[in-house]
Amino acid sequence: MPGVMTKTTPTLLSAPRLLLALGLAALPLAACSNSTSAAPGATASASAPAQAAIIVEKPWVRSTEGSKDTSMTAAFMNLTNPGDKDISVTRAESAVAGRVEVHEMVTVDGKMVMREAKNGVVVKAGKHEHLAPGGPHIMLMQLKQPLKVGEEVTVTVHFSDGSQQVLKAPVKKFTEEQDTYHTHEASTPTPQSSSPQPSTSSQPSTSLQPSATPHDDHGPSATPHKH
Amino acid sequence: MTPPDPTSRRRVLGYLGAAAAGAATAGGGVAYGLGAANRGDDRAAEARRATHRAYAPHGDHQTGIVTPTPAVTEVIALDLEPATDRAALARLMRLWTGDIESMMAGQPIPGDTAPEMAQSHVSLTVTVGFGPRVFALPGLQAQRPVGLIDIPPMVHDRLDPQWNGGDLVVIVAAEDPTSVAYASRRLVRDAESFARVRWVQQGSWRGTNSDREPVTGRNLFGQVDGTGNPQPGTQEHDDTLWARAENVPAWFVGGTQLVVRRIEMNLDTWDQITRNEQERAIGRTLDTGAPLGKEREHDELDLALTGPDGKPMIPMNAHARLSHHSQLGGRRIFRRGVNYTYPRVVDGRMVPTSGLIFLSFQADIAKQFVPMQKVLDAGDQLNDWTTAIGSAVFAMAPGWKPGEWVGQKLLR
């Protein structure tokens, strides 16, 4: 017989309560470091101090099915920082990608564009940060294989507190206009670089070439960035 | 126990409730119990509640089969795209499992474009099944459950192809149309790479009385509909519904078979007969649903009772008599009906269309449903006012545990 979930009390979880929830639910997982839950969409174990570690949930990776450029895609997730110190996503790696970068969103000449987040993406103490289309994300580049809808991709995310989390992220179809996250900051200086031409859906930015110069000072994802 | 004010437990965390959601995700079933432990809920009272439920998706059987029928049900049949093979179907089931686990917990799914729509305690259930053609896919031919057959043509059928068949079914049920629309859209959207929608049937049910207590509910003829279902917790209930190891491929143990019949009901001609005639057609009273000659809804039928005229109290062609297990060699089904009604505009006039989406669950369609339906087709007086216009059959996957996915044993 199906079990029945009981009501939850409607409070905005404060940090202590949140830790209580974590302690009850997540610590058993943390105890078996690097084991992963097979449940689709579930987050995997935290290998770092359980207290104040970032909570990662609902990770997913965009499928390459139907993409114009199948050499790259992005991973998205919801992050919660239950602690009292800011923590950043500093870098990530995945076996499916030759290179992985953490990207942020900035305004350039009145237009939101993406670029590599040299200092990582900050999750402020006691706050949430969503890595989502149109916002910060983890860019998976130099893909070694097409990513089919419904597959599971393992992504390891590293944080500024020294912790890391191994995520099992389902591959899903992109349901928004691709341009919303494909528009990246122009990487090749041009005469118009001070006022970049707006990208159009028919002409998405080509700045995401994995070998584009601004990224050249970064090694493959296996080599940690210095921050 | 008076049910607490539902608004008091409304989730205010919403999309930003990553923490609570994260705990639930990481801890699996553990987190579901937190609220009860804190609040000291009366679990028995909770289990009797018909509304504001938050069902856990895991178990031996899927939810949405014997769980109370909430106000809104949407049944969606899909056809596999030609390229969808066993491996692709497995990927879809993994995706759907993640979606179902998230949404039933009131959480947005990964990549949700409308995450604020996810709400807990809307009694959401999602139930997944496989149509016959799945078992024609390479690698799956030996896995077809015995008894999963299309319903043979019946004399009273007027089947319309738009309501027939399907390779997959997903039944989404909740307390309000908005919650159902949200869940259905997310599921269909995630299936886009694998399958096309074939038909959608939407229905409603009033499963509570004015005191918000669960009741059997009524179809649009006004009949109490579903009284004869075997009661959960009994041997006959389990025997009726769940496939057993000795009869089916191993993957299907704990599964059940579904017949979806779309039954048009002619309310105009039904209204033209007297109340007494209506009750004799069904074999039960209209007020309480008690068998004719008895007092209460759940009184057992006495088919031997005769009236003052010496004739059977429950006529020989009454629906309740013909469909009674004693008349069918012990065969039973578990029915879960939902009503449909909508107006069509015909030549400037509103013409109501009404009927019943008849969901019949049983362990073996060929052994249970088909013999029963043949008897009813031949003699049920209700045939005068009812016409089947759609028919489809599905093997409803067994339940799954945390960390597993629906249909895993079939498709992995």
Side-chain angles (χ1 to χ4, degrees), chain A residues 174-187:
Chain A
F174 205 59
T175 56
E176 294 173 17
E177 205 178 329
Q178 294 206 2
D179 234 21
T180 55
Y181 99 108
H182 247 188
T183 306
H184 281 67
E185 188 177 36
S187 57

Side-chain angles (χ1 to χ4, degrees), chain A residues 5 7 10 12 58 80 128, chain B residues 8 10 13 16 18 32 102:
Chain A
M5 284 192 295
K7 312 289 184 295
L12 192 65
K58 307 296 176 195
T80 298
H128 308 284
Chain B
S8 71
R10 201 119 296 143
L13 217 45
L16 292 179
Y32 298 135
S102 290

Side-chain angles (χ1 to χ4, degrees), chain A residues 184-194 196 205-209 211-214:
Chain A
H184 281 67
E185 188 177 36
S187 57
T188 308
T190 67
Q192 293 85 23
S193 62
S194 60
S205 165
T206 56
S207 62
L208 274 177
Q209 298 302 323
S211 59
T213 32

Side-chain angles (χ1 to χ4, degrees), chain A residues 61-137:
Chain A
V61 170
R62 181 201 156 208
S63 171
T64 57
E65 285 178 16
S67 293
K68 281 182 190 154
D69 183 350
T70 57
S71 73
M72 67 181 69
T73 187
F76 309 104
M77 62 202 67
N78 299 340
L79 303 169
T80 298
N81 182 352
D84 52 11
K85 290 177 185 149
D86 294 355
I87 298 176
S88 297
V89 179
T90 53
R91 63 188 174 86
E93 69 242 5
S94 173
V96 301
R99 175 186 183 114
V100 180
E101 293 178 358
V102 178
H103 282 199
E104 63 185 353
M105 185 181 222
V106 291
T107 306
V108 174
D109 293 326
K111 187 171 167 56
M112 299 300 278
V113 295
M114 309 294 171
R115 69 176 180 201
E116 183 169 17
K118 305 280 184 185
N119 298 313
V121 170
V122 178
V123 188
K124 291 195 185 318
K127 301 287 189 185
H128 308 284
E129 180 66 46
H130 297 287
L131 306 191
H137 57 269

